[in-house]
């Protein structure tokens, strides 16, 4: 039954989604695309784009979209609650522990030690998304598979996000408008 699969899948994802939405994207992609086959890599990338534009945490938005796509409104509720529930419980426990013991050197060492792992998870997600946007997947990197529109638009948005402090919503909307114009002008069906 799809509802039980959604519940199991997103409880597990929620339980092991450390580092926020970007860091957990690869875990979500693995479960949703590679293991459950609920969507393709391209569809998952589209959902990430849409989830990024909507208010709220990225991981919860992705869970909601996957739930809707696989099982309608009930699927949305099940996937969203299942994804959020472990984090809520863990955060309440950790907030209490942190509040009591935050000044201990050991706690500070643990927190600093976690940063490289979280950075690696975010970087892995960024590489997968870049591969999907630029070549249709990292395993398909080649000149013929290169999306020559996505590369300069991605790089321009990166520069604007870093140097001009462009907001995420502005970057997404700008990128969408630029892509629509360029694809229409060149007569390319993405």
């Amino acid at each position: 039954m799809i509802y039980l699969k959604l519940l199991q899948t997103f409880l597990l994802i929620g339980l092991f989604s450390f580092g926020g939405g970007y860091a957990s994207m690869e875990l979500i992609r693995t479960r949703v695309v590679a293991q459950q086959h609920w969507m393709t890599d391209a569809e998952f990338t589209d959902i990430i784009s849409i989830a990024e534009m909507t208010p709220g945490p990225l991981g919860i938005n992705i869970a909601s979209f996957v739930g809707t796509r696989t099982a309608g409104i009930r699927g949305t509720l099940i996937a969203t609650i299942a994804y959020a529930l472990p984090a809520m419980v863990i955060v309440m426990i950790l907030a209490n522990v942190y509040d009591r013991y935050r000044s201990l050197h050991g706690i500070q060492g643990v927190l600093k030690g976690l940063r490289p792992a979280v950075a690696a998870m975010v970087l892995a997600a960024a590489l997968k998304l870049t591969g999907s946007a630029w070549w249709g997947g990292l395993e398909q990197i080649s000149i013929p598979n290169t999306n020559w529109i996505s590369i300069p638009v991605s790089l321009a948005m990166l520069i604007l996000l870093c140097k001009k402090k462009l907001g995420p919503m502005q970057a997404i909307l700008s990128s969408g408008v630029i892509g629509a114009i360029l694809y229409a002008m060149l007569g390319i069906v993405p």
Side-chain angles (χ1 to χ4, degrees):
M1 178 175 207
I2 190 66
Y3 299 126
L4 185 57
K5 274 285 193 204
L6 278 169
L7 180 68
Q8 290 172 334
T9 298
F10 280 98
L11 270 174
L12 278 173
I13 291 170
L15 189 59
F16 295 103
S17 288
F18 294 97
Y22 291 108
S24 65
M25 271 193 284
E26 181 55 23
L27 175 61
I28 298 171
R29 190 202 68 76
T30 298
R31 295 283 179 172
V32 169
V33 175
Q35 292 178 352
Q36 298 297 337
H37 306 289
W38 287 331
M39 60 188 57
T40 66
D41 264 323
E43 291 169 325
F44 186 72
T45 301
D46 291 343
I47 283 178
I48 291 170
S49 300
I50 295 166
E52 186 67 45
M53 291 188 326
T54 54
L58 184 63
I60 289 176
N61 292 349
I62 293 170
S64 298
F65 280 108
V66 171
T68 301
R69 179 140 187 310
T70 57
I73 297 299
R74 286 186 183 131
T76 302
L77 293 172
I78 290 168
T80 304
I81 291 168
Y83 180 83
L85 187 61
M88 289 184 340
V89 172
I90 292 168
V91 165
M92 285 189 292
I93 292 167
L94 289 177
N96 189 29
V97 169
Y98 178 75
D99 192 46
R100 289 178 188 217
Y101 304 108
R102 68 178 169 235
S103 62
L104 295 177
H105 292 293
I107 296 294
Q108 291 303 312
V110 168
L111 293 173
K112 287 181 180 178
L114 291 174
R115 292 176 188 158
V118 172
M121 291 188 299
V122 171
L123 185 56
L127 289 173
K128 291 272 186 184
L129 285 172
T130 301
S132 180
W134 292 6
W135 298 286
L138 289 174
E139 64 283 345
Q140 297 181 29
I141 293 176
S142 68
I143 297 296
N145 288 335
T146 301
N147 182 328
W148 294 106
I149 294 173
S150 289
I151 293 173
V153 172
S154 297
L155 295 174
M157 291 303 121
L158 178 64
I159 291 167
L160 290 172
L161 284 163
C162 292
K163 297 289 185 188
K164 299 295 182 184
K165 304 300 183 212
L166 187 70
M169 183 59 100
Q170 294 166 312
I172 291 167
L173 292 175
S174 299
S175 184
V177 169
I178 292 167
I181 292 168
L182 290 174
Y183 283 109
M185 285 175 37
L186 297 171
I188 300 171
V189 178

